[in-house]
C-alpha cells in the first residue's frame, strides 16, 4: 500500500509542467518599471472647473504628456520618433492638444482627456524656416478654431476640427524669414512680420479667414538685424542690429514702418559679452541678457526704451498669462543661496507684486532653467498662482503657496551610460528570515498562496499575496545578498546628474549634480561621456567604499578639454575632480590595479597621446612593466580607417609629464570610400567569462572556440546604401562583415551580403557574433551569425596524446602567429526592426546564452542562442536532436511569452545592460530609454536555487505526512499479515 501511495505522488509530480508565464500576483517581485518624460520645454495648463486639472508638456526627449496637477502623475503620454522634435504645443477648442513637430512639417491634434490622436496633417514647403504655431482663440468659423503654422517658408491655416488646410501663403519668392505671426484683437486680421536678407523688414496684413493679402509694407534698416525679436505689442517689435550693440524698436501701424535706435551702452553703461533678447511675451516689456546680467526694459508709447530693473544673477522669466479682463501676469524666478525667490508681477505694473514667495530648494537641483505660470481662484474669489519650474538637472517641480507640491526626477529619461556596484556587506551577519507573528497569520498567508497557485484568488487576494511577497522578499535591503541580486545601478544622465538606483525596487539611493559637468565660465558646454569602475576594494570591503570614474569634456568637439570626476559609490559624494589640459577621445580601462585597488586607465587625446591615471608612482611602475603588452585600436568611421596603436616613448613638448606617452601606428586598414563605409563596430565585453573552450559536436568531434579579447567585428555598406532603408536598389547595395584581430590588424574572416542595407546592430560573445540588418531583395530583416573556431588545436583529439601530455592546449597563443581558423555562418529572417541587442552574462559562463533584442515596439525579447546555431539543418539526425540542435527554418520564431518586459514598454529604448549575479543561473537585465525597466532572467531556468516564495513549511508538512502515512500503512500491513497467518 505504501508503494502505491508513492507511485501516486510520483505520477502527480510528473504531470506538472514548468511555466514560462508570469502570474498576476508575481508582478513587481523580480522586476520594476518606471516612466519618465524628460526635460520639459513647452507647457500649457488646463485648469477649468470641470474635469481634472492638468498640464500638458512637451520635452527634449520628444515626449508629449498630460500630467496631473495634484500629484504630477502621468495621465497619458506619447513618445514621438527620434527625429520628430516637438516645436510647439497649444490647446484648441478647449478639448484638443495641438502639437507642431518635425521642423514644422507635422501638425497633430490629440484628445485632451485620453490622449488619442484625432487627426494628423503634413505641411508642405521647400524652404527651411523657423516653425511657429498660433491658435486663433477669438476667431471661430463654424465653431472651429483656426490654427496658423509658419514653417517651410509658408504660412498655413489649418482647421482644428479635422486638420484640413484651409489656405496657404507661400513666402519663398520673397525670401522672407518669418519672425512673428500676430493676431489683431477684435478682428479676423493677422500680421506676419519678418526679415528678407539681413536688413529688409516686411509686414504683411492678411485676412485670417481666407488668406487674402490686405496690405504689404517693407522698409530697409541699414544696420541689419540678427537674433531673436521681442513682441511688446500688436504693432511694436524690438530687435538687435547686426553688431549687437543697438536695440532697434520697430513700429508698424497705419501702413508706415518706423525704426528707432537705442544704444545698449546708453542703457547699461560699458559692458562686454554676448547680447541676447530673450523670447518672452511680456506686454510692453522685454528682457535683455548680457552674460549673467539681465535687463528688463519697458517700451514707452513713443518707442523709447527705459530700464525697469537690472538683475546680476541667475534669473528666469515666464511668458505672460492672461488671468482676468485685460490683465496679464508673469513670473520672475531668482536664486539666492538654497532658496529660489518666486515673484509674480502685473504685466503693466512692474512695482506691484501679486505673489512673492521664498521656496527652500535642494542645491543639488542646480539653477532654474524654465518657469511656466498658471492662476487659480481661491475660496475668497481672489487670484492665486502656481508655477511649474524646470531645473538644471531636468527635474520638474510644481510650486504653490511657497511650497513644492510635487517633483519629478525626469533626468532619468536621458541616461548616457550605466555601471554597477556591489552593496556593502551586512556587518551584523547574515540576517535570518522573520518568523510569522502568530499561527493565524501563518495559515492565512499559506492559504492565500495556495489559492493563487490554484488560480482561485480574487482581486483582493492577489493584492494581499503580492504585498506578502514584497514584504518577505527583502529585495530592497541596502546590503549584499548571497545570490548577488541586490546591486547599485549607477547611471549618468545628459543633465550631468549622477544617480544610484537600487536594483531591488528602482528607488533613488542617492543623486549628485556633478559640479564638474555644470555650465560655468571655464566650461561653457559640459558634456558627460562615460562611467567606469575606478576602485573596487575586495580585501577590505568593510572599511572602504568603492568609487566610480565619470569622464566628460567641456564642449561638443573632440578637441575640447576633458573633465574627470571621482564619486563614492555608496554615499554619492564627489571625492575629487580634475580639469584636464588635454582632450579625451578614448578611454581604455586596463586590467591592472595598484595596491589601493584603483584600476589603471589610459586616456587618449586628440593628438593620439595617452595619459595614465591615476597619476601615482606605483601606477606608473605597474604600467611600464606591462607597456609592451598594451595595444589598442581606433576607428575613424567618417574616413573609413581602422588603426592599431602601440606605445612608443614618453611625451615630448607641450603638455608633457611623467604620465604622458607618445604612440605609434602599428597597422591600418583603409576601406575604399567609393565602395565601403563603416556603419558598425562591436567587440567582446572585457568582463565576459567563458566556461570552456572546447565544443563537442554530435559525431564526437571536438571543436575549439577561437577565444580572443582582441577580435573586432566591423560592418560596412556601399556608400549609396548608407541612407534610410529603401533609398537604394538591391543591385547597388551590399553589406560586408569583417572579423579583425586588433593586435596584428589581420582580417580573419570576410563575408558579403549582396542586396543588404543597414542599420546594423550587433553583439559579440565568446567566439560568435550576431548582427541584424535589412535584406532589400527579400524586403525583410535578417539576422546572421558567425562562429569562429581554432583549427591549430584540432589535432588534440587523440586521447593518448592528452594522457601523455603531448598536446598544445597549454601552449601560449600569440596574435602575431597566423591563426588557423575556420568559420561557420548562417542567416535567418527576423520579422522585427531592432533598436539594441545584448547577450546574457553569468558568473561562470556555464548557463546557456540568450540574445536580448530591443524591438521597434520598445520591448525586450529573449531569444535562445540555439535558434542562431549555424549547424542547424532541415532534417537533423537523431544525434543532433539529442545535442539540442533545432531543425532549420527560414525565420526566427518570436514567442509572446519570451518578452521579458511582459506587456510593458520601455518607451524610447536606447540600451540594454546585462550584469551577472553570483547565482550562476541568473543574470540581471537593465534596459533604459525614456522609461527604465529591470528584471532577473534565468536562461536555463533556476536549476541551482529555489524560488523566493518557496514554502518550506509546506515541504515540512508534506514530509511529515509522508512519514506518518508510511508508519500507518506499515502498521496496517503488519496487522493484515498477522490476521492472514491466524487463518
Amino acid at each position: 500500500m505504501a508503494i502505491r501511495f508513492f507511485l501516486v505522488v510520483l505520477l502527480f509530480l510528473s504531470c506538472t509542467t514548468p511555466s514560462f508565464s508570469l502570474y498576476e500576483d508575481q508582478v513587481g517581485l523580480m522586476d520594476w518599471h518606471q516612466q519618465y518624460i524628460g526635460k520639459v520645454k513647452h507647457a500649457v495648463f488646463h485648469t477649468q472647473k470641470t474635469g481634472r486639472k492638468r498640464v500638458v508638456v512637451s520635452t527634449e526627449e520628444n515626449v508629449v504628456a498630460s500630467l496631473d496637477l495634484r500629484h504630477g502623475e502621468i495621465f497619458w503620454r506619447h513618445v514621438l520618433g527620434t527625429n520628430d522634435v516637438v516645436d510647439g504645443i497649444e490647446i484648441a477648442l478647449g478639448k484638443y492638444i495641438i502639437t507642431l513637430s518635425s521642423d514644422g512639417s507635422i501638425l497633430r491634434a490629440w484628445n485632451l482627456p485620453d490622449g488619442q490622436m484625432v487627426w494628423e496633417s503634413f505641411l508642405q514647403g521647400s524652404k527651411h524656416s523657423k516653425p511657429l504655431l498660433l491658435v486663433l482663440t477669438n476667431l471661430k468659423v463654424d465653431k472651429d478654431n483656426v490654427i496658423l503654422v509658419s514653417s517651410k517658408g509658408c504660412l498655413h491655416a489649418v482647421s482644428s476640427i479635422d486638420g484640413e488646410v484651409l489656405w496657404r501663403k507661400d513666402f519663398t519668392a520673397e525670401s522672407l524669414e518669418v519672425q512673428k505671426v500676430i493676431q489683431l484683437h477684435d478682428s479676423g486680421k493677422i500680421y506676419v512680420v519678418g526679415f528678407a536678407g539681413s536688413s529688409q523688414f516686411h509686414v504683411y496684413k492678411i485676412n485670417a479667414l481666407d488668406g487674402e493679402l490686405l496690405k504689404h509694407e517693407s522698409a530697409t534698416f541699414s544696420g541689419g538685424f540678427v537674433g531673436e525679436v521681442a513682441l511688446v505689442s500688436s504693432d511694436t517689435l524690438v530687435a538687435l542690429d547686426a553688431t549687437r550693440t543697438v536695440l532697434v524698436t520697430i513700429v508698424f501701424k497705419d501702413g508706415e514702418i518706423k525704426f528707432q535706435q537705442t544704444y545698449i551702452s546708453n542703457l547699461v553703461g560699458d559692458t562686454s559679452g554676448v547680447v541676447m533678447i530673450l523670447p518672452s511675451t511680456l506686454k510692453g516689456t522685454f528682457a535683455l541678457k548680457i552674460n549673467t546680467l539681465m535687463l528688463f526694459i519697458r517700451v514707452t508709447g513713443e518707442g523709447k526704451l527705459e530700464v525697469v530693473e537690472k538683475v546680476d544673477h541667475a534669473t528666469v522669466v515666464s511668458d505672460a498669462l492672461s488671468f482676468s479682463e485685460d490683465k496679464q501676469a508673469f513670473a520672475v524666478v531668482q536664486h539666492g543661496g538654497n532658496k529660489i525667490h518666486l515673484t509674480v508681477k502685473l504685466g503693466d505694473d512692474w512695482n506691484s507684486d501679486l505673489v512673492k514667495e521664498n521656496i527652500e530648494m535642494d542645491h543639488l537641483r542646480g539653477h532654474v532653467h524654465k518657469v511656466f505660470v498658471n492662476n487659480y481662484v481661491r475660496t475668497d474669489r481672489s487670484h492665486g498662482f502656481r508655477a511649474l519650474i524646470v531645473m538644471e538637472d531636468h527635474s520638474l517641480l510644481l510650486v504653490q503657496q511657497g511650497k513644492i507640491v510635487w517633483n519629478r526626477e525626469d533626468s532619468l529619461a536621458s541616461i548616457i551610460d550605466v555601471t554597477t556596484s556591489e552593496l556593502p556587506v551586512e556587518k551584523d551577519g547574515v540576517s535570518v528570515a522573520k518568523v510569522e507573528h502568530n499561527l493565524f497569520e501563518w495559515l492565512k498567508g499559506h492559504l492565500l498562496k495556495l489559492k493563487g497557485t490554484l488560480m482561485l484568488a480574487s482581486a483582493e487576494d492577489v493584492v494581499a499575496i503580492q504585498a506578502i511577497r514584497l514584504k518577505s522578499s527583502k529585495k530592497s535591503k541596502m546590503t549584499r545578498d548571497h545570490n548577488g541580486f541586490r546591486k547599485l545601478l549607477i547611471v549618468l544622465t545628459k543633465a550631468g546628474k549622477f544617480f544610484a538606483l537600487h536594483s531591488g525596487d528602482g528607488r533613488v539611493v542617492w543623486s549628485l549634480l556633478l559640479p564638474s559637468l555644470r555650465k560655468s565660465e571655464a566650461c561653457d558646454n559640459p558634456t558627460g561621456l562615460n562611467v567606469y569602475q575606478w576602485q573596487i576594494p575586495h580585501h577590505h570591503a568593510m572599511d572602504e567604499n568603492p568609487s566610480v570614474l565619470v569622464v566628460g569634456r567641456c564642449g561638443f568637439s573632440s578637441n575640447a578639454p576633458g573633465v574627470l570626476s571621482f564619486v563614492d559609490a555608496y554615499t554619492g559624494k564627489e571625492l575629487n575632480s580634475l580639469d584636464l589640459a588635454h582632450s579625451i577621445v578614448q578611454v581604455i580601462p586596463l586590467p591592472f590595479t595598484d595596491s589601493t585597488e584603483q584600476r589603471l586607465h589610459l586616456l587618449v587625446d586628440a593628438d593620439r597621446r595617452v595619459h595614465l591615471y591615476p597619476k601615482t608612482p606605483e601606477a606608473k611602475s605597474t604600467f611600464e612593466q606591462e607597456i609592451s603588452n598594451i595595444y589598442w585600436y581606433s576607428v575613424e568611421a567618417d574616413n573609413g580607417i581602422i588603426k592599431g596603436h602601440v606605445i612608443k616613448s614618453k611625451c615630448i613638448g607641450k603638455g608633457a609629464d611623467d604620465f604622458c606617452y607618445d604612440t605609434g601606428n602599428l597597422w591600418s586598414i583603409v576601406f575604399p570610400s567609393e565602395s565601403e563605409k563603416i556603419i558598425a563596430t562591436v567587440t567582446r565585453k572585457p568582463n565576459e567569462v567563458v566556461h570552456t573552450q572546447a565544443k563537442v559536436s554530435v559525431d564526437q568531434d571536438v571543436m575549439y572556440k577561437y577565444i580572443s579579447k582582441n577580435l573586432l567585428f566591423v560592418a560596412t555598406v556601399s556608400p549609396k546604401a548608407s541612407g534610410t532603408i529603401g533609398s537604394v536598389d538591391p543591385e547597388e547595395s551590399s553589406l560586408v562583415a569583417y572579423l579583425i584581430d586588433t593586435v596584428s590588424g589581420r582580417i580573419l574572416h570576410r563575408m558579403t551580403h549582396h542586396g543588404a542595407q543597414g542599420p546594423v546592430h550587433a553583439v559579440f560573445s565568446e567566439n560568435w557574433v550576431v548582427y541584424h540588418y535589412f535584406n532589400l531583395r527579400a524586403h525583410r530583416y535578417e539576422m546572421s551569425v558567425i562562429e569562429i573556431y581554432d583549427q591549430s588545436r584540432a589535432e588534440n583529439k587523440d586521447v593518448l596524446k592528452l594522457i601523455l601530455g603531448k598536446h598544445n592546449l597549454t601552449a601560449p597563443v600569440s596574435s602575431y602567429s597566423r591563426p588557423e581558423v575556420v568559420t561557420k555562418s548562417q542567416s535567418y529572417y527576423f520579422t522585427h526592426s531592432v533598436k539594441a541587442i545584448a547577450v546574457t552574462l553569468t558568473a561562470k559562463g556555464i548557463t546557456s546564452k540568450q540574445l536580448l533584442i530591443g524591438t521597434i515596439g520598445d520591448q525586450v525579447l529573449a531569444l535562445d542562442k540555439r535558434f542562431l546555431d549555424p549547424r542547424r539543418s532541415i532534417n537533423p539526425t537523431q544525434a543532433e536532436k539529442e545535442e539540442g540542435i533545432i531543425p532549420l527554418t527560414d525565420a526566427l520564431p518570436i514567442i509572446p511569452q519570451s518578452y521579458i518586459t511582459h506587456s510593458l514598454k520601455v518607451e524610447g529604448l536606447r540600451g540594454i545592460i546585462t550584469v551577472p549575479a553570483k547565482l550562476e543561473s541568473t543574470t540581471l537585465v537593465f534596459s533604459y530609454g525614456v522609461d527604465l525597466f529591470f528584471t532577473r532572467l534565468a536562461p536555463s531556468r533556476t536549476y541551482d536555487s529555489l524560488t523566493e516564495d518557496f514554502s518550506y513549511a509546506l515541504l515540512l508538512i508534506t514530509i511529515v505526512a509522508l512519514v506518518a502515512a508510511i508508519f500507518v500503512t506499515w502498521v496496517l500491513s503488519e496487522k493484515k499479515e498477522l490476521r492472514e497467518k491466524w487463518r
Side-chain angles (χ1 to χ4, degrees):
M1 188 171 179
I3 296 174
R4 270 189 220 157
F5 181 80
F6 277 116
L7 288 175
V8 171
V9 172
L10 288 173
L11 181 63
F12 172 76
L13 292 175
S14 64
C15 292
T16 60
T17 57
S19 174
F20 291 99
S21 61
L22 190 73
Y23 288 107
E24 185 181 1
D25 58 289
Q26 291 177 315
V27 174
L29 286 177
M30 296 184 296
D31 54 62
W32 47 263
H33 180 237
Q34 297 176 355
Q35 294 182 318
Y36 298 97
I37 56 175
K39 184 181 181 182
V40 172
K41 59 180 182 178
H42 305 108
V44 291
F45 292 86
H46 186 265
T47 55
Q48 296 180 356
K49 292 182 179 179
T50 58
R52 295 177 173 177
K53 292 179 173 58
R54 64 183 75 207
V55 57
V56 181
V57 299
S58 69
T59 72
E60 293 183 356
E61 300 299 319
N62 303 340
V63 176
V64 180
S66 175
L67 305 179
D68 183 5
L69 265 183
R70 296 181 183 275
H71 309 291
E73 298 171 349
I74 299 174
F75 281 136
W76 54 262
R77 181 188 60 163
H78 294 287
V79 181
L80 307 182
T82 307
N83 300 318
D84 198 3
V85 179
V86 181
D87 304 307
I89 60 174
E90 291 288 351
I91 292 182
L93 298 177
K95 60 179 181 180
Y96 293 155
I97 295 296
I98 308 298
T99 63
L100 181 66
S101 60
S102 291
D103 202 21
S105 60
I106 302 178
L107 190 69
R108 298 182 179 95
W110 313 88
N111 195 27
L112 182 60
D114 57 12
Q116 295 294 319
M117 190 168 70
V118 181
W119 51 260
E120 182 179 44
S121 292
F122 295 90
L123 307 179
Q124 303 298 323
S126 57
K127 178 187 173 185
H128 172 75
S129 62
K130 181 173 67 174
L132 299 172
L133 174 65
L134 176 66
V135 177
L136 303 180
T137 54
N138 62 351
L139 178 63
K140 290 190 176 182
V141 182
D142 297 330
K143 299 181 180 180
D144 182 10
N145 285 146
V146 177
I147 303 170
L148 296 179
V149 178
S150 173
S151 65
K152 303 291 183 181
C154 303
L155 180 67
H156 306 80
V158 183
S159 166
S160 62
I161 293 179
D162 54 11
E164 180 185 357
V165 178
L166 303 176
W167 54 264
R168 177 173 175 266
K169 172 68 177 173
D170 195 344
F171 295 108
T172 307
E174 294 88 345
S175 300
L176 181 71
E177 182 70 29
V178 177
Q179 296 294 324
K180 296 288 181 181
V181 179
I182 308 165
Q183 180 181 2
L184 301 180
H185 296 289
D186 303 325
S187 69
K189 312 296 187 298
I190 59 171
Y191 279 140
V192 179
V193 298
F195 303 132
S198 60
S199 58
Q200 195 79 13
F201 179 75
H202 290 262
V203 179
Y204 294 84
K205 190 175 183 180
I206 298 175
N207 189 339
L209 297 176
D210 54 13
E212 179 188 359
L213 179 62
L214 303 177
K215 189 180 291 185
H216 173 215
E217 300 290 339
S218 64
T220 303
F221 178 69
S222 58
F225 300 102
V226 68
E228 288 282 347
V229 300
L231 177 68
V232 294
S233 69
S234 60
D235 54 14
T236 306
L237 292 173
V238 178
L240 281 168
D241 77 333
T243 64
R244 292 185 182 268
T245 60
V246 177
L247 287 170
V248 184
T249 306
I250 309 171
V251 181
F252 47 93
K253 60 181 176 181
D254 303 327
E256 186 179 1
I257 301 174
K258 296 180 180 179
F259 300 112
Q260 187 167 339
Q261 303 182 52
T262 305
Y263 284 91
I264 296 175
S265 58
N266 295 338
L267 299 173
V268 69
D270 295 333
T271 185
S272 60
V274 179
V275 181
M276 293 187 300
I277 293 179
L278 299 183
S280 57
T281 59
L282 307 180
K283 186 176 181 181
T285 308
F286 68 97
L288 189 72
K289 187 176 181 182
I290 309 172
N291 293 338
T292 59
L293 178 66
M294 184 174 290
L295 303 176
F296 294 95
I297 303 173
R298 179 186 292 125
V299 182
T300 64
E302 297 79 20
K304 294 183 179 180
L305 306 181
E306 59 181 30
V307 177
V308 178
E309 188 169 342
K310 296 180 183 179
V311 181
D312 198 12
H313 50 270
T315 305
V316 179
V317 186
S318 74
D319 284 341
L321 168 71
S322 298
F323 66 96
S324 65
E325 294 181 2
D326 298 328
K327 283 189 177 182
Q328 284 189 333
F330 64 95
V332 180
V333 179
Q334 301 176 26
H335 275 270
N338 288 336
K339 292 184 179 181
I340 59 173
H341 308 289
L342 172 66
T343 307
V344 179
K345 297 176 177 291
L346 272 175
D348 53 359
D349 186 2
W350 184 268
N351 296 320
S352 64
D353 295 337
L354 299 174
V355 172
K356 195 166 187 178
E357 298 171 346
N358 297 324
I359 300 104
E360 292 284 346
M361 183 64 62
D362 185 357
H363 69 281
L364 294 177
R365 297 192 182 277
H367 294 144
V368 175
H369 274 196
K370 285 182 181 292
V371 60
F372 306 93
V373 66
N374 176 244
N375 71 294
Y376 61 94
V377 180
R378 298 190 181 102
T379 54
D380 60 357
R381 310 304 298 170
S382 62
H383 288 280
F385 294 89
R386 59 173 71 96
L388 190 70
I389 299 177
V390 183
M391 302 299 294
E392 182 182 352
D393 68 341
H394 296 189
S395 60
L396 185 65
L397 303 90
L398 184 74
V399 173
Q400 187 172 325
Q401 297 179 355
K403 296 181 180 180
I404 299 175
V405 180
W406 51 259
N407 66 82
R408 295 179 53 90
E409 288 286 0
D410 283 301
S411 174
L412 288 167
S414 56
I415 291 176
I416 297 173
D417 198 14
V418 184
T419 189
T420 59
S421 174
E422 294 289 347
L423 284 163
V425 176
E426 192 169 14
K427 295 183 178 180
D428 296 331
V430 180
S431 61
V432 183
K434 292 182 180 179
V435 189
E436 268 79 8
H437 294 295
N438 52 57
L439 183 60
F440 176 74
E441 292 293 330
W442 181 83
L443 290 173
K444 180 183 176 183
H446 286 289
L447 181 61
L448 286 172
K449 289 179 182 179
L450 182 61
K451 290 175 69 176
T453 305
L454 299 176
M455 303 181 71
L456 299 175
S458 63
E460 293 79 9
D461 293 338
V462 169
V463 173
I465 295 170
Q466 190 172 7
I468 292 172
R469 286 179 170 171
L470 288 174
K471 184 178 179 180
S472 62
S473 64
K474 299 183 182 178
K475 65 176 186 177
S476 59
K477 289 184 65 176
M478 279 300 297
T479 55
R480 299 183 194 181
D481 61 313
H482 65 280
N483 288 328
F485 294 159
R486 295 197 294 262
K487 295 181 185 293
L488 286 179
L489 301 169
I490 301 178
V491 302
L492 175 66
T493 67
K494 193 186 296 183
K497 194 165 186 179
F498 216 29
F499 290 90
L501 307 178
H502 196 291
S503 64
D505 52 8
R507 74 182 186 276
V508 176
V509 178
W510 54 258
S511 62
L512 171 67
L513 184 60
L514 290 167
S516 55
L517 292 181
R518 294 183 65 184
K519 189 173 182 179
S520 62
E521 293 183 5
C523 190
D524 190 40
N525 292 302
T527 306
L529 297 178
N530 297 102
V531 183
Y532 300 92
Q533 292 180 338
W534 176 253
Q535 186 178 25
I536 308 175
H538 295 289
H539 306 297
H540 38 271
M542 300 292 289
D543 48 25
E544 283 196 24
N545 295 349
S547 57
V548 292
L549 167 66
V550 184
V551 179
R553 64 164 68 110
C554 286
F556 304 111
S557 168
S558 60
N559 295 319
V563 175
L564 300 182
S565 181
F566 306 90
V567 181
D568 189 306
Y570 288 168
T571 64
K573 179 183 177 181
E574 187 176 40
L575 304 174
N576 190 18
S577 64
L578 299 173
D579 295 325
L580 307 182
H582 59 82
S583 59
I584 301 175
V585 296
Q586 192 175 355
V587 180
I588 306 172
L590 299 176
F592 316 121
T593 58
D594 60 13
S595 60
T596 63
E597 300 184 41
Q598 290 182 345
R599 189 170 183 180
L600 274 59
H601 289 71
L602 286 182
L603 273 58
V604 186
D605 63 19
D607 298 324
R608 293 298 173 195
R609 299 196 296 184
V610 298
H611 304 264
L612 175 66
Y613 289 86
K615 291 188 173 184
T616 61
E618 183 188 357
K620 179 184 175 184
S621 174
T622 303
F623 173 70
E624 291 184 347
Q625 288 177 9
E626 300 288 343
I627 199 169
S628 60
N629 296 323
I630 296 174
Y631 305 86
W632 74 95
Y633 67 94
S634 62
V635 179
E636 300 175 19
D638 295 335
N639 301 323
I641 301 174
I642 302 177
K643 295 179 180 179
H645 305 280
V646 68
I647 296 173
K648 293 174 62 178
S649 60
K650 290 285 187 69
C651 290
I652 301 175
K654 185 179 179 181
D657 59 18
D658 288 342
F659 302 92
C660 175
Y661 299 86
D662 281 324
T663 64
N665 293 337
L666 196 59
W667 54 266
S668 63
I669 299 175
V670 180
F671 297 95
S673 59
E674 63 276 4
S675 61
E676 293 185 66
K677 178 180 175 62
I678 299 174
I679 61 169
T681 59
V682 68
T683 187
R684 278 184 57 200
K685 285 191 175 183
N687 61 339
E688 183 184 25
V689 178
V690 180
H691 176 61
T692 178
Q693 188 181 358
K695 186 174 184 179
V696 182
S697 62
V698 292
D699 54 359
Q700 304 304 314
D701 188 18
V702 179
M703 298 183 295
Y704 291 94
K705 303 174 185 176
Y706 187 80
I707 304 295
S708 173
K709 293 185 178 181
N710 301 317
L711 272 184
L712 173 69
F713 169 79
V714 180
T716 67
V717 294
S718 52
K720 290 184 178 180
S722 59
T724 57
I725 293 176
S727 60
V728 65
D729 294 331
E731 292 74 17
E732 300 176 310
S733 176
S734 63
L735 185 146
V736 186
Y738 295 89
L739 291 179
I740 300 173
D741 189 297
T742 58
V743 173
S744 63
R746 185 176 289 113
I747 296 176
L748 301 180
H749 181 68
R750 181 180 185 273
M751 186 165 66
T752 303
H753 302 272
H754 295 287
Q757 190 177 8
V760 171
H761 297 276
V763 63
F764 207 139
S765 177
E766 293 191 355
N767 68 319
W768 52 265
V769 60
V770 172
Y771 52 102
H772 176 276
Y773 54 92
F774 189 78
N775 188 326
L776 291 169
R777 297 182 188 275
H779 303 285
R780 297 171 75 176
Y781 288 100
E782 276 188 7
M783 290 185 77
S784 292
V785 57
I786 301 173
E787 292 185 357
I788 183 168
Y789 294 94
D790 189 353
Q791 281 293 94
S792 64
R793 300 171 185 265
E795 60 183 20
N796 298 314
K797 301 172 187 176
D798 192 338
V799 178
L800 185 60
K801 283 186 177 182
L802 292 173
I803 295 173
L804 297 177
K806 295 180 178 181
H807 57 78
N808 62 351
L809 291 179
T810 58
V813 177
S814 172
S815 290
Y816 285 110
S817 61
R818 186 172 186 85
E820 300 176 24
V821 297
V822 62
T823 60
K824 296 179 181 294
S825 60
Q826 185 65 270
S827 297
Y828 304 91
Y829 291 125
F830 191 68
T831 56
H832 284 327
S833 175
V834 166
K835 288 187 173 183
I837 301 182
V839 64
T840 55
L841 298 177
T842 54
K844 303 297 182 183
I846 302 172
T847 306
S848 60
K849 301 280 188 179
Q850 281 188 339
L851 293 172
L852 303 177
I853 303 171
T855 65
I856 193 64
D858 290 324
Q859 291 185 298
V860 180
L861 174 72
L863 183 66
D864 198 316
K865 170 60 175 62
R866 293 184 302 161
F867 288 111
L868 284 151
D869 192 331
R871 298 179 299 156
R872 288 176 63 185
S873 59
I874 298 177
N875 296 310
T877 63
Q878 184 62 33
E880 289 175 332
K881 289 179 181 179
E882 291 175 359
E883 188 189 346
I885 294 179
I886 303 171
L888 179 65
T889 55
D890 61 345
L892 295 172
I894 295 179
I895 305 169
Q897 292 84 355
S898 296
Y899 284 100
I900 66 171
T901 47
H902 320 305
S903 61
L904 303 172
K905 284 188 176 183
V906 186
E907 295 281 5
L909 179 66
R910 291 192 304 274
I912 303 171
I913 304 296
T914 57
V915 182
K918 291 182 181 178
L919 201 64
E920 170 56 28
S921 65
T922 307
T923 183
L924 309 179
V925 181
F926 178 61
S927 53
Y928 61 91
V930 176
D931 295 347
L932 308 181
F933 180 81
F934 177 88
T935 190
R936 299 204 306 257
L937 192 63
S940 300
R941 306 181 191 176
T942 52
Y943 57 84
D944 53 358
S945 66
L946 297 171
T947 59
E948 284 187 354
D949 60 339
F950 182 81
S951 179
Y952 293 94
L954 188 59
L955 176 63
L956 181 61
I957 292 171
T958 305
I959 294 172
V960 171
L962 286 173
V963 171
I966 292 171
F967 180 75
V968 170
T969 53
W970 177 74
V971 171
L972 293 176
S973 176
E974 289 291 324
K975 288 184 177 181
K976 184 179 179 182
E977 289 180 3
L978 183 61
R979 284 196 302 268
E980 288 179 352
K981 287 180 180 180
W982 277 102
R983 285 179 181 176

